[in-house]
Amino acid sequence: MFNVVLNLAMSLTESSERISCGAVLVCNSDGDDVTLLDTDYADNLAIMDNLKDGLQESTNLLSKNVALAGLKIKSRKTDCMAIGKWTTQHPFTEANTLDINVEGKPIQQSTEFTYLGHKICSDGSLDREFDVRIRRATGAFNQLGNIWKNRNIQAATKIRIYKPAVLTILLYGSEVWNTTKTQLHRFEVFHQRCLRKIFRISWKQHIRNTDVLQRAETQSIEILLGHNRLQWFGHVSRMPEKRIPRMLLEWVPAHGRRSRGRPKKSWLKCVQEDAAGFTGNSDITVERMIELASEGEGMAWNAAINEKLPWCRPLFRLKIRPTQVQVSNAHLKLFIRLLQPEIWLILPQKRISNLSVIFTLKHQDNQASSHGHHLQILNLN
């Protein structure tokens, strides 16, 4: 109900505006520009505009419309930010000072704030976000210290805990990062420090990083991060061209001018370097990447980017009826009964010569072992 009220308030705000037109994404010659006024997620709302007066107008109208439903915007819980190269320097210049208020109460202008778990900086840099990622991942790793020190738990089990409990926190939101070599090195150092602590490897042993990754059966942060970026790129490439994420894929600002010096590496440039490393084609272009990601619902694209990850091999599907599966495990048998009348199994393809091999830990004829659950496949459709 809250989301319905908030969406209605934003619709009324957009229809009543006279000055504000939102943040202009694409300028068309016919005057029908593509703009973005707000981004909503639950009770988190961000309003954007290219003009100060337009931003103030949107704030006033939104405050008026939500008041009809008994809601109120709290100025102390609201921040405003000017995005630009020099907006992090205090005091703000006149051009970068917003002076936005809600019902006469001023809103604090910040150079950084947290939105949906991300640390957003006014100059567009990611260093503060990386500080937060490493700090939170370190906290999660230290909370599981008793597991890492327990000698009764196998190292393989510890790695299976480490990946979802620590790596997911470290790489949260990494799909949209544009990283440099220096920034990647910070993540690699953290990754190696955690793995060496899990395997009880001292720095005195002089074991190479590649050997540690091979023992853990995982990849470097550079490959994991590149995989996340390529997956997101493929997903966005298959969107209709009118969708905002698809529109922003090759978006270039139509205002301002670039300052002297080498420009910052863009996200698309990072994705292009990732694609060159994963596909082995150093001359791959963005147009070719979009073409590959759009063909056949991205099956070939996903197969290419999953090849380097041991737990993301190319997938195939088997359609099996519950009456055709004999299971010795009671819990798995109950799970299969709940999936009447048929099951779709997504199975990893690892050293597969034919479809009779499933979860190839070991296989004999038509039997297979899957993490302790023994399945006997009688017939395949």
Side-chain angles (χ1 to χ4, degrees), residues 170-188:
L170 182 68
L171 298 179
Y172 175 73
S174 60
E175 295 86 352
V176 294
W177 291 351
N178 53 321
T179 53
T180 63
K181 290 293 183 181
T182 303
Q183 293 167 341
L184 278 177
H185 179 70
R186 295 182 59 193
F187 286 97
E188 296 289 1

Side-chain angles (χ1 to χ4, degrees), residues 113-296:
F113 68 92
T114 302
Y115 181 70
L116 299 181
H118 292 275
K119 181 71 70 173
I120 300 176
C121 297
S122 59
D123 60 352
S125 63
L126 293 172
D127 291 324
R128 292 287 296 117
E129 168 66 10
F130 294 158
D131 292 339
V132 173
R133 290 292 107 215
I134 293 177
R135 185 168 62 249
R136 291 181 179 177
T138 301
F141 185 84
N142 293 336
Q143 285 182 345
L144 300 174
N146 293 333
I147 295 179
W148 315 136
K149 297 176 183 178
N150 194 329
R151 296 180 181 272
N152 296 324
I153 301 178
Q154 296 181 355
T157 304
K158 294 179 181 180
I159 294 299
R160 293 180 62 185
I161 297 174
Y162 167 74
K163 290 177 181 178
V166 180
L167 278 185
T168 52
I169 297 176
L170 182 68
L171 298 179
Y172 175 73
S174 60
E175 295 86 352
V176 294
W177 291 351
N178 53 321
T179 53
T180 63
K181 290 293 183 181
T182 303
Q183 293 167 341
L184 278 177
H185 179 70
R186 295 182 59 193
F187 286 97
E188 296 289 1
V189 170
F190 172 82
H191 188 39
Q192 284 291 327
R193 186 170 66 246
C194 293
L195 293 178
R196 288 170 184 268
K197 189 171 183 178
I198 291 174
F199 288 107
R200 298 178 180 274
I201 298 175
S202 172
W203 63 272
K204 300 178 183 179
Q205 297 177 259
H206 300 289
I207 297 179
R208 296 182 301 178
N209 292 344
T210 54
D211 296 335
V212 176
L213 294 174
Q214 186 176 3
R215 185 183 300 187
E217 295 185 357
T218 187
Q219 296 289 354
S220 64
I221 292 296
E222 183 178 5
I223 293 180
L224 297 176
L225 199 154
H227 176 265
N228 291 347
R229 276 193 294 238
L230 291 174
Q231 272 196 324
W232 176 246
F233 175 84
H235 177 65
V236 174
S237 299
R238 292 186 291 272
M239 290 182 179
E241 293 187 357
K242 292 185 178 180
R243 291 281 302 275
I244 291 178
R246 178 65 179 85
M247 194 180 303
L248 293 176
L249 188 61
E250 301 177 82
W251 177 70
V252 177
H255 59 279
R257 64 177 184 176
R258 184 171 63 86
S259 58
R260 291 188 303 173
R262 180 180 178 181
K264 294 182 179 180
K265 183 190 291 186
S266 65
W267 178 81
L268 201 58
K269 181 64 176 177
C270 292
V271 173
Q272 194 171 358
E273 293 179 357
D274 295 333
F278 275 72
T279 61
N281 181 8
S282 59
D283 298 327
I284 191 169
T285 62
V286 176
E287 292 74 16
R288 179 56 180 163
M289 289 162 52
I290 296 177
E291 182 182 351
L292 288 174
S294 304
E295 288 179 352

